[in-house]
Amino acid sequence: MFKITFVIFLRILICSKTSLSAEIMESAKNEQYCGEKTVEKGFYYGTFPEGFKFGTATSAYQIEGAWNEDGKTENIWDRLVHQNSAVIADGSNGDIAADSYHKYKDDVKILKELGVEFYRFSLSWTRVLPKGDVSVISTEGIQYYNDLIDELLANGIMPMVTIYHWDLPQSLQDLGGWTNEIMAEYFEDFARVAFSNFGDRVKWWITLNEPWVQSVLGYDFGWDAPRLNLHGVGGYLSGHTMLKAHALAFHLYDKEFRPSQKGKIGITLESFWMEPKTSDPKDLEAAERALQFELGWFAHPIFSKNGDYPPLMKQIIGENSKKEGLKRSRLPSLSSKWIELLKGSSDFFGLNHYTSYLVEADENGQDPSWRRDTRCKTSVNPLWPETGSPWLKVVPWGFRKLLNWIKKEYNNPDVIVTENGVSDKGGLADKQRVAYITEYMNEMLKAIKLDGCNISAYTCWSLLDNFEWLGGYTQKFGIYSVDFDDPERRRTAKESAKAYSTIIKNNGFLKCQDI
Ligand code: GBH
């Protein structure tokens, strides 16, 4: 009783800024008398669990530039931007981008200034393997990543390396890219080169970034590179190969490298939160279908108890294929060997999350396609704040719901949020990004503290303004701006960088500082 009264007394004292001796202030801070475990007006004041890690991320094609330097050859994004610049919002490309190939020391400097514990970046496949296969290993390519990794470690920042973030060698695309199952083995070979050259210092590996995006946008919608309109077929083939590629790399690491290198390896999947548009059971089912067709497609084989593709996907695509007069499902089947290899093949659940959609049932889809198979239509609530990207609205509560769905669906896996962030049109006073990061991180904190979700790290996308794929340089995601008119590509902290730094320093949200 006395203790509680004392705590309340302290809280009143501190929060009303009554002068206290520095000593008491310090002890109050340490013991978190500033309001741990209180939710006020929907905001949770409290701190992240001990050991929780904060980082920030980029990807090779989006920041490196030096697209043809030191022996690097063409990848599928180089090909797309050079042959078809009209599909990029500002007709731009990643030829120079943030020039991180030459400016990586500047990147490490700002990472240090931010106070993050880790940095997630990706390897450019053709920079390391100019022929796509292992017949040539580029000394300069290996040197670049060695230098970056060493510079990070010298500054106390842990590298988290994504082996593949969408930039397949064009030479391998010419063999069919991810629709050709042999790609799984080429990927395994590339992963071996990565583990043997960098694994002595890299303890956090991500095999693939967002296989759903690469498969559906690249091989079904025909938007992103390689921009193939293989509706209803290409995306499923690509996803199938990417799953196998992941499993091969995981087991390669697990058997041959983990015993000596002792790191962790997993996959990064992306998902929107899918909110039923109405309480009509048809829309509830539609929202569940949408989640299974996006996240479940890749998560079910790896993280569920039974493995394999989600039963719902197998059933729907199988039925549709039959109706179309096909002999077999457009969704290839996983043999029991692959089901076993995939099951449990990830040390953590890497999650990229940005926004939410409203989902309703839709039976009017046209040609065989991923979209029609889902029998869903998505929309947004006009009240959700807009951002610099048409597809991205600010819906913080969707993050918490998604984290809870993952907890329930996959038995509360260890989730690492490998991307979360927002775009605008530029400027250093990025108030909307400050609010977005604060609110999304707060929903994540609620998922941990109030819902018992297992989440051990958070990664803000992105460290830098960069080449936003089809959006070119028109959509800025950085917490640091990059002056793309300056040959030096000077980096400057935005307000969001400072806000993120403060959250990291406080390990969460302390009430007193806001009052
Ligand atoms: C991430 O994907 C990527 O990993 C990262 O490279 C990227 O910079 C970041 O998002 C921000 O976009 O405009 O209609 O073509 C997140 C999932 C899926 C979001 C594809 C953008 C394109 C929609 N992305 N989507 S559209």
Side-chain angles (χ1 to χ4, degrees), residues 73-76 79 125-126 129-133 135 167-177 180 183 186:
T73 61
E74 191 186 29
N75 63 41
I76 56 175
R79 174 65 65 92
W125 192 325
T126 56
L129 303 178
K131 289 188 180 270
D133 61 30
S135 60
D167 49 358
L168 196 74
Q170 185 58 42
S171 59
L172 299 184
Q173 190 60 49
D174 294 341
L175 302 175
N180 184 345
M183 234 24 74
Y186 281 93

CSV table of all heavy atoms in Angstrom, one decimal, residues 73-76 79 125-126 129-133 135 167-177 180 183 186:
chain,number,residue,atom,x,y,z
A,73,THR,N,27.5,-6.6,-63.5
A,73,THR,CA,26.7,-6.7,-64.8
A,73,THR,C,25.2,-6.4,-64.5
A,73,THR,O,24.8,-6.2,-63.4
A,73,THR,CB,26.8,-8.2,-65.3
A,73,THR,OG1,26.3,-9.1,-64.4
A,73,THR,CG2,28.3,-8.5,-65.6
A,74,GLU,N,24.5,-6.6,-65.6
A,74,GLU,CA,23.1,-6.1,-65.6
A,74,GLU,C,22.2,-7.1,-64.8
A,74,GLU,O,22.3,-8.3,-65.0
A,74,GLU,CB,22.6,-6.1,-67.1
A,74,GLU,CG,21.3,-5.5,-67.4
A,74,GLU,CD,20.9,-5.7,-68.8
A,74,GLU,OE1,21.3,-6.7,-69.5
A,74,GLU,OE2,20.2,-4.8,-69.3
A,75,ASN,N,21.3,-6.5,-64.0
A,75,ASN,CA,20.3,-7.4,-63.4
A,75,ASN,C,18.9,-7.0,-64.0
A,75,ASN,O,18.8,-6.1,-64.8
A,75,ASN,CB,20.3,-7.3,-61.9
A,75,ASN,CG,20.1,-5.9,-61.3
A,75,ASN,OD1,19.2,-5.2,-61.8
A,75,ASN,ND2,20.8,-5.4,-60.4
A,76,ILE,N,17.8,-7.6,-63.5
A,76,ILE,CA,16.5,-7.4,-64.1
A,76,ILE,C,16.0,-6.0,-63.9
A,76,ILE,O,15.2,-5.5,-64.7
A,76,ILE,CB,15.4,-8.4,-63.6
A,76,ILE,CG1,15.3,-8.4,-62.1
A,76,ILE,CG2,15.8,-9.8,-64.2
A,76,ILE,CD1,14.2,-9.3,-61.6
A,79,ARG,N,17.9,-3.8,-66.5
A,79,ARG,CA,17.3,-4.0,-67.8
A,79,ARG,C,16.0,-3.2,-67.9
A,79,ARG,O,15.7,-2.5,-68.9
A,79,ARG,CB,17.0,-5.5,-68.0
A,79,ARG,CG,16.3,-5.9,-69.2
A,79,ARG,CD,17.0,-5.6,-70.5
A,79,ARG,NE,18.2,-6.3,-70.7
A,79,ARG,CZ,18.4,-7.5,-71.4
A,79,ARG,NH1,17.3,-8.0,-71.9
A,79,ARG,NH2,19.5,-8.1,-71.5
A,125,TRP,N,23.4,-9.3,-56.4
A,125,TRP,CA,23.8,-10.6,-57.0
A,125,TRP,C,24.9,-10.4,-58.0
A,125,TRP,O,26.0,-11.1,-58.0
A,125,TRP,CB,22.6,-11.4,-57.5
A,125,TRP,CG,22.7,-12.8,-57.8
A,125,TRP,CD1,23.8,-13.5,-58.4
A,125,TRP,CD2,21.8,-13.9,-57.7
A,125,TRP,NE1,23.6,-14.8,-58.5
A,125,TRP,CE2,22.3,-15.1,-58.1
A,125,TRP,CE3,20.4,-13.9,-57.2
A,125,TRP,CZ2,21.6,-16.3,-58.1
A,125,TRP,CZ3,19.7,-15.0,-57.2
A,125,TRP,CH2,20.3,-16.2,-57.6
A,126,THR,N,24.6,-9.6,-59.0
A,126,THR,CA,25.6,-9.4,-60.1
A,126,THR,C,26.9,-8.7,-59.7
A,126,THR,O,27.8,-8.7,-60.5
A,126,THR,CB,25.0,-8.7,-61.4
A,126,THR,OG1,24.5,-7.5,-61.0
A,126,THR,CG2,23.9,-9.6,-62.0
A,129,LEU,N,28.5,-12.0,-58.3
A,129,LEU,CA,28.6,-13.0,-59.3
A,129,LEU,C,28.2,-12.4,-60.7
A,129,LEU,O,27.0,-12.5,-61.1
A,129,LEU,CB,27.7,-14.2,-59.0
A,129,LEU,CG,27.9,-14.9,-57.6
A,129,LEU,CD1,26.9,-16.0,-57.4
A,129,LEU,CD2,29.4,-15.4,-57.5
A,130,PRO,N,29.2,-11.8,-61.4
A,130,PRO,CA,28.8,-11.1,-62.6
A,130,PRO,C,28.2,-12.0,-63.7
A,130,PRO,O,27.4,-11.5,-64.5
A,130,PRO,CB,30.1,-10.6,-63.1
A,130,PRO,CG,31.1,-10.8,-62.0
A,130,PRO,CD,30.6,-11.7,-61.0
A,131,LYS,N,28.4,-13.3,-63.6
A,131,LYS,CA,27.8,-14.2,-64.6
A,131,LYS,C,26.5,-14.8,-64.0
A,131,LYS,O,25.9,-15.7,-64.7
A,131,LYS,CB,28.8,-15.3,-65.0
A,131,LYS,CG,29.9,-14.7,-65.9
A,131,LYS,CD,30.7,-15.8,-66.5
A,131,LYS,CE,31.8,-15.3,-67.3
A,131,LYS,NZ,31.5,-15.1,-68.7
A,132,GLY,N,26.2,-14.5,-62.8
A,132,GLY,CA,25.0,-15.1,-62.2
A,132,GLY,C,25.3,-16.4,-61.6
A,132,GLY,O,24.8,-16.7,-60.5
A,133,ASP,N,26.2,-17.2,-62.2
A,133,ASP,CA,26.6,-18.5,-61.6
A,133,ASP,C,27.9,-18.3,-60.9
A,133,ASP,O,28.5,-17.2,-60.9
A,133,ASP,CB,26.7,-19.6,-62.7
A,133,ASP,CG,27.7,-19.2,-63.8
A,133,ASP,OD1,28.7,-18.5,-63.5
A,133,ASP,OD2,27.5,-19.7,-64.9
A,135,SER,N,30.9,-19.3,-61.7
A,135,SER,CA,32.1,-19.4,-62.5
A,135,SER,C,33.0,-18.3,-62.3
A,135,SER,O,34.3,-18.4,-62.4
A,135,SER,CB,31.8,-19.6,-64.0
A,135,SER,OG,31.1,-18.5,-64.5
A,167,ASP,N,16.8,-8.4,-57.2
A,167,ASP,CA,17.7,-8.0,-58.4
A,167,ASP,C,18.3,-9.2,-59.0
A,167,ASP,O,19.6,-9.3,-59.0
A,167,ASP,CB,18.7,-6.9,-58.0
A,167,ASP,CG,19.4,-7.3,-56.7
A,167,ASP,OD1,19.2,-8.3,-56.1
A,167,ASP,OD2,20.3,-6.5,-56.3
A,168,LEU,N,17.5,-10.0,-59.6
A,168,LEU,CA,18.1,-11.2,-60.3
A,168,LEU,C,19.0,-10.9,-61.4
A,168,LEU,O,18.7,-9.9,-62.2
A,168,LEU,CB,16.9,-12.1,-60.8
A,168,LEU,CG,17.3,-13.5,-61.1
A,168,LEU,CD1,17.5,-14.4,-59.9
A,168,LEU,CD2,16.2,-14.2,-62.0
A,169,PRO,N,20.1,-11.6,-61.6
A,169,PRO,CA,21.0,-11.4,-62.8
A,169,PRO,C,20.1,-11.5,-64.1
A,169,PRO,O,19.4,-12.5,-64.2
A,169,PRO,CB,22.0,-12.4,-62.7
A,169,PRO,CG,22.1,-12.8,-61.2
A,169,PRO,CD,20.7,-12.6,-60.7
A,170,GLN,N,20.3,-10.6,-65.0
A,170,GLN,CA,19.6,-10.8,-66.3
A,170,GLN,C,20.0,-12.1,-67.0
A,170,GLN,O,19.1,-12.7,-67.6
A,170,GLN,CB,19.9,-9.6,-67.2
A,170,GLN,CG,19.2,-9.5,-68.5
A,170,GLN,CD,17.6,-9.5,-68.3
A,170,GLN,OE1,17.1,-8.8,-67.4
A,170,GLN,NE2,16.9,-10.3,-69.1
A,171,SER,N,21.2,-12.5,-66.8
A,171,SER,CA,21.6,-13.8,-67.4
A,171,SER,C,20.7,-14.9,-66.9
A,171,SER,O,20.5,-15.9,-67.7
A,171,SER,CB,23.1,-14.1,-67.1
A,171,SER,OG,23.3,-14.1,-65.8
A,172,LEU,N,20.3,-14.9,-65.7
A,172,LEU,CA,19.4,-15.9,-65.2
A,172,LEU,C,18.0,-15.7,-65.5
A,172,LEU,O,17.2,-16.7,-65.7
A,172,LEU,CB,19.6,-16.0,-63.6
A,172,LEU,CG,21.0,-16.4,-63.1
A,172,LEU,CD1,21.0,-16.5,-61.6
A,172,LEU,CD2,21.6,-17.6,-63.8
A,173,GLN,N,17.6,-14.5,-65.7
A,173,GLN,CA,16.3,-14.2,-66.2
A,173,GLN,C,16.1,-14.8,-67.6
A,173,GLN,O,15.0,-15.3,-68.0
A,173,GLN,CB,16.0,-12.7,-66.2
A,173,GLN,CG,14.5,-12.3,-66.5
A,173,GLN,CD,13.6,-12.9,-65.4
A,173,GLN,OE1,13.9,-12.7,-64.2
A,173,GLN,NE2,12.6,-13.5,-65.8
A,174,ASP,N,17.2,-14.7,-68.4
A,174,ASP,CA,17.1,-15.2,-69.7
A,174,ASP,C,16.9,-16.7,-69.7
A,174,ASP,O,16.5,-17.3,-70.8
A,174,ASP,CB,18.4,-14.9,-70.5
A,174,ASP,CG,18.6,-13.4,-70.7
A,174,ASP,OD1,17.5,-12.7,-70.6
A,174,ASP,OD2,19.7,-12.9,-71.0
A,175,LEU,N,17.1,-17.4,-68.6
A,175,LEU,CA,16.8,-18.8,-68.5
A,175,LEU,C,15.4,-19.1,-68.0
A,175,LEU,O,15.0,-20.2,-67.6
A,175,LEU,CB,17.8,-19.5,-67.5
A,175,LEU,CG,19.3,-19.5,-67.9
A,175,LEU,CD1,20.1,-20.1,-66.8
A,175,LEU,CD2,19.5,-20.2,-69.2
A,176,GLY,N,14.6,-18.0,-67.8
A,176,GLY,CA,13.3,-18.1,-67.3
A,176,GLY,C,13.1,-17.5,-65.9
A,176,GLY,O,12.0,-17.5,-65.3
A,177,GLY,N,14.2,-17.0,-65.3
A,177,GLY,CA,14.1,-16.5,-64.0
A,177,GLY,C,13.5,-17.4,-63.0
A,177,GLY,O,13.7,-18.6,-63.1
A,180,ASN,N,11.8,-20.9,-63.6
A,180,ASN,CA,12.6,-22.1,-63.8
A,180,ASN,C,13.1,-22.6,-62.5
A,180,ASN,O,13.9,-21.9,-61.8
A,180,ASN,CB,13.8,-21.7,-64.7
A,180,ASN,CG,14.6,-22.9,-65.1
A,180,ASN,OD1,14.5,-24.0,-64.5
A,180,ASN,ND2,15.4,-22.8,-66.1
A,183,MET,N,16.5,-22.2,-60.7
A,183,MET,CA,16.9,-21.0,-60.0
A,183,MET,C,17.2,-21.3,-58.5
A,183,MET,O,18.0,-20.6,-57.9
A,183,MET,CB,15.8,-20.0,-60.2
A,183,MET,CG,16.2,-18.6,-60.8
A,183,MET,SD,17.7,-18.5,-61.8
A,183,MET,CE,17.2,-19.3,-63.3
A,186,TYR,N,20.8,-22.2,-58.3
A,186,TYR,CA,21.6,-21.0,-58.5
A,186,TYR,C,21.6,-20.1,-57.3
A,186,TYR,O,22.7,-19.6,-56.8
A,186,TYR,CB,21.2,-20.2,-59.7
A,186,TYR,CG,21.6,-20.7,-61.1
A,186,TYR,CD1,20.7,-21.6,-61.8
A,186,TYR,CD2,22.8,-20.4,-61.6
A,186,TYR,CE1,21.1,-22.1,-63.0
A,186,TYR,CE2,23.2,-20.9,-62.9
A,186,TYR,CZ,22.3,-21.7,-63.5
A,186,TYR,OH,22.7,-22.2,-64.8
